[in-house]
Amino acid sequence: MHAPQRSTRPVDAQLYVEVLQFYARQMPLLEERRLEEFLETMTEDGSIEHVPNGWRIEGRKALLTEMRARRGDPDRPLVGEMSARQARADEVAYYDGIVYRYWFDRMRIEPQSDDVLQVGYQAMVSMTDAAGKVSFEPTTTVQDVLVRQDGEWYTRSRRVTHDSPNWADKIHNPS
Amino acid sequence: MHAPQRSTRPVDAQLYVEVLQFYARQMPLLEERRLEEFLETMTEDGSIEHVPNGWRIEGRKALLTEMRARRGDPDRPLVGEMSARQARADEVAYYDGIVYRYWFDRMRIEPQSDDVLQVGYQAMVSMTDAAGKVSFEPTTTVQDVLVRQDGEWYTRSRRVTHDSPNWADKIHNPS
Amino acid sequence: MHAPQRSTRPVDAQLYVEVLQFYARQMPLLEERRLEEFLETMTEDGSIEHVPNGWRIEGRKALLTEMRARRGDPDRPLVGEMSARQARADEVAYYDGIVYRYWFDRMRIEPQSDDVLQVGYQAMVSMTDAAGKVSFEPTTTVQDVLVRQDGEWYTRSRRVTHDSPNWADKIHNPS
């Protein structure tokens, strides 16, 4: 065997840690349903895409409409058994009754320029209900593009690849 | 929408990584039930608080008494179904028979001064029993105050907010 | 109580982040079954050992044989209920039908020299099947030796200590 072809050169510690801190600031906003503040960490035309068998939504306004409909309220009762796709069709807030947390690991950064980064990582979502039951959504890998504007990082695009092709039809939080 | 108000400025990589390493040294001591050594990573008057519906314990001595009673031994048999609150009332070591591990993510650091840091993160506890069954305690968010004394970081206070309000009454490790 | 004896001095941020990036590049290769590329991140004589009650395999060639037999294909059907030990005896690819992901935390680095590092961490493996079911292998702690050759890090040895002594006889992915 030969020496490995390194696809990604290690980036500078300061940049790496800055990106870690970007996510540590961004994702709790989504977990706490502070949707407008979360969307302010994306560019105005920012997009989120779910593959395979998913959907792509572009722009803060469209994302806010989608998130308001779906992200729910941890203080409301749990919804019955429901898939992500069904929740979209029926306008159900399928995160009602649930505190969800994102767990990220294995961050890889490929700078495209000083102000544009490709960032790859894997993500897992835990769901804790009021009774203390913990479950997990199917795991994913994620590819983000981050851009720097006026010294601040923003997500321009997020592409979430689900490890289960049938993720959107799975019962979201089975009892 | 406006530019986001950034609540936390990114900290220097060296400080961030130093704090990561502090936790990587501290938490295995608790997992391995090296309780006195764990408590030496807290200040003499260090406190741990669980909210909501929990308790607050202050000082290494009081913490050692509590931990000795509760932290148990992975080589003993599992206790029967038991809540955290019941275990405290009945003096049961509800971690008997379990190897538990803490998983931290999303560290945010806000320096109060050169030697005092507010550190926020989310935490999940996995429990593996001798048969290999894996389960999880309800997720939490944590706010620590770290202080530097003679060049060494210590936890002065830890406030754990549970994502399930009923965490202390949940059966801890259901069969 | 005395001041804690610090077993590990904090290492430089640049080194710490470089090692984080090494794992972020290495482990997806294993997850994606790119076995030859994964093995190129180990030294030619690299070894992987599982304790207790496990086995030790040394050298890229022997590791490749083992991994080809066991690592399976996520697009094939799930195997029936099967332990790791049984899978080795019967030549079964017990990761068929599963996307597995490694989750690492608490990295501790002890440099032995400029080009040799002891690296400790804890690891958890998630398994997501085509239907979206998520389960976890028993948790582990890991001790790696990394060596630098021509400016590139390689794993010379990996010793995985399982938190369940019976891990190899556990049904791997119970239905």
Side-chain angles (χ1 to χ4, degrees), chain A residues 62-75:
Chain A
L63 284 165
L64 183 59
T65 302
E66 164 67 15
M67 288 179 168
R68 277 206 179 122
R70 219 69 59 223
R71 288 288 160 173
D73 181 339
D75 295 327

Side-chain angles (χ1 to χ4, degrees), chain B:
Chain B
M1 295 180 211
H2 321 288
Q5 278 210 299
R6 183 153 68 182
S7 53
T8 314
R9 299 211 71 78
V11 302
D12 177 73
Q14 192 60 41
L15 176 61
Y16 197 88
V17 167
E18 208 174 298
V19 174
L20 283 179
Q21 291 178 79
F22 168 75
Y23 289 113
R25 175 170 65 85
Q26 179 188 58
M27 297 307 294
L29 298 173
L30 183 55
E31 292 167 10
E32 296 166 18
R33 278 79 162 180
R34 295 158 66 183
L35 302 179
E36 300 207 359
E37 289 168 271
F38 170 77
L39 290 169
E40 284 167 359
T41 69
M42 302 190 68
T43 59
E44 193 68 47
D45 65 345
S47 62
I48 299 181
E49 182 177 9
H50 289 267
V51 296
N53 307 317
W55 41 82
R56 179 176 182 279
I57 298 172
E58 184 179 323
R60 286 180 179 166
K61 202 176 149 194
L63 284 164
L64 183 58
T65 302
E66 163 67 15
M67 287 178 170
R68 277 206 179 122
R70 219 68 60 223
R71 288 287 160 173
D73 181 339
D75 294 327
R76 281 202 290 245
L78 285 168
V79 302
E81 303 216 324
M82 170 76 55
S83 72
R85 197 181 306 284
Q86 191 70 25
R88 284 174 62 83
D90 296 356
E91 290 299 331
V92 169
Y94 66 117
Y95 278 119
D96 271 356
I98 290 172
V99 176
Y100 57 89
R101 303 269 171 219
Y102 289 81
W103 305 85
F104 286 2
D105 208 347
R106 304 209 180 301
M107 201 175 65
R108 291 179 300 286
I109 299 178
E110 290 183 77
Q112 307 295 297
S113 71
D114 276 1
D115 294 321
V116 181
L117 307 176
Q118 291 271 0
V119 183
Y121 53 91
Q122 60 187 41
M124 183 160 64
V125 179
S126 64
M127 294 181 283
T128 296
D129 69 17
K133 181 167 81 76
V134 181
S135 56
F136 293 89
E137 295 193 6
T139 52
T140 65
T141 52
V142 186
Q143 195 68 34
D144 278 10
V145 175
L146 301 189
V147 296
R148 183 153 46 187
Q149 292 173 354
D150 300 323
E152 190 87 44
W153 290 106
Y154 297 85
T155 301
R156 188 163 70 194
S157 63
R158 174 163 297 173
R159 184 181 163 91
V160 182
T161 301
H162 292 260
D163 286 333
S164 160
N166 307 305
W167 66 277
D169 296 302
K170 178 183 183 287
I171 297 301
H172 186 244
N173 183 29
S175 352

